[in-house]
Amino acid sequence: VQTCALPILGIVEDLEGNTKEALTFLHKAAELDPENAGVYHVLAGAYEKLNDFDQAEEFYRLSLALDALDEDCLTDFLQLLMDTSILEAYQFITAFKEQNDQNKIAGILEVNVLWLMGRKREAISLFQICVEEDKEKAKEGMQKLRLKRTKEEIKEQESVKDIEQHQVKEADDKSVKVEDKVNEENVQNETESNIPEEIIETKSKKSKKRHNK
């Protein structure tokens, strides 16, 4: 397999839901091309899917160290940090912005963090600065954040839907069992009610005779 094909194979496996298998191709690609920031970004995303957040953070940082202008990688990494610690996310983005002022989306990301921290005046003030510097970039940054949040919400909704479906199935199974039991009892009662009276009387007389003996 050619070196350039390995990341593609990894991405394909990941998209098909074979994230663990994807890691094999991606690690091999990183080994053969250690300066490829994109491979580390994909690796980070794969580990994040597997809930291995320490490994995900390591590869996000590696990717950004090689390409600090990668806006998608920066957005993804900051979202990971915000999901675990908003304070850590704030400390990271402010330090990153100071060292990498060429990444124009960093300011918008800081706006988002400040807003979530409840520092809304600072967020609005910084957003105005971002708009003055580059209106289109500010708009693009907000759209990226909105899109990522939407994807996360869809995942959560799918997860809740799976749980609800499982609960409905369990309830249906219990209902079927109860229904079967009721039907069984109805059949038994029906059978007994269809026994001719003569047989019932005969059985009753025999029972009395045995009792008298």
Side-chain angles (χ1 to χ4, degrees), residues 25-87:
F25 292 111
L26 294 169
H27 275 293
K28 189 66 180 174
E31 185 184 322
L32 295 171
D33 188 6
E35 299 300 309
N36 190 329
V39 173
Y40 294 123
H41 183 189
V42 179
L43 265 168
Y47 277 112
E48 190 175 352
K49 273 189 180 180
L50 295 171
N51 294 326
D52 190 341
F53 301 125
D54 289 338
Q55 284 278 36
E57 181 174 340
E58 180 184 337
F59 286 113
Y60 275 130
R61 289 184 183 277
L62 275 172
S63 181
L64 288 169
L66 290 167
D67 184 6
L69 298 180
D70 188 337
E71 296 177 356
D72 289 331
C73 184
L74 181 60
T75 304
D76 291 342
F77 181 38
L78 192 70
Q79 186 65 56
L80 172 66
L81 292 177
M82 286 193 295
D83 289 342
T84 53
S85 168
I86 194 71
L87 180 59

Side-chain angles (χ1 to χ4, degrees), residues 14 45 48-51 60 83 148-163:
D14 189 27
E48 190 175 352
K49 273 189 180 180
L50 295 171
N51 294 326
Y60 275 130
D83 289 342
K148 185 158 182 68
R149 279 198 297 269
T150 302
K151 285 180 180 177
E152 294 299 323
E153 284 166 8
I154 289 169
K155 281 182 186 177
E156 285 178 15
Q157 286 169 4
E158 286 175 350
S159 178
V160 169
K161 192 176 177 183
D162 288 341
I163 292 168

Side-chain angles (χ1 to χ4, degrees), residues 9 23 41-42 46 48 83 122 129 148 153 183-184 204:
L9 290 171
L23 289 174
H41 183 189
V42 179
E48 190 175 352
D83 289 342
E122 291 175 71
I129 293 169
K148 185 158 182 68
E153 284 166 8
N183 288 338
E184 234 176 79
S204 179

Side-chain angles (χ1 to χ4, degrees), residues 109-171:
L109 295 176
E110 187 181 353
V111 167
N112 192 54
V113 175
L114 285 168
W115 188 270
L116 291 174
M117 291 175 77
R119 294 162 62 174
K120 296 185 178 181
R121 284 187 181 179
E122 291 175 71
I124 292 168
S125 177
L126 180 57
F127 181 68
Q128 288 171 341
I129 293 169
C130 291
V131 170
E132 286 169 10
E133 288 179 351
D134 191 332
K135 186 178 179 180
E136 288 305 310
K137 183 59 68 177
K139 186 178 175 183
E140 182 189 333
M142 294 305 290
Q143 285 173 341
K144 278 187 179 182
L145 287 168
R146 207 171 288 125
L147 178 62
K148 185 158 182 68
R149 279 198 297 269
T150 302
K151 285 180 180 177
E152 294 299 323
E153 284 166 8
I154 289 169
K155 281 182 186 177
E156 285 178 15
Q157 286 169 4
E158 286 175 350
S159 178
V160 169
K161 192 176 177 183
D162 288 341
I163 292 168
E164 286 175 348
Q165 285 176 345
H166 180 68
Q167 289 173 339
V168 168
K169 187 178 181 302
E170 279 188 342

Side-chain angles (χ1 to χ4, degrees), residues 87-98:
L87 180 59
E88 189 181 345
Y90 174 71
Q91 290 169 342
F92 167 77
I93 195 61
T94 51
F96 181 89
K97 197 175 74 164
E98 283 178 13

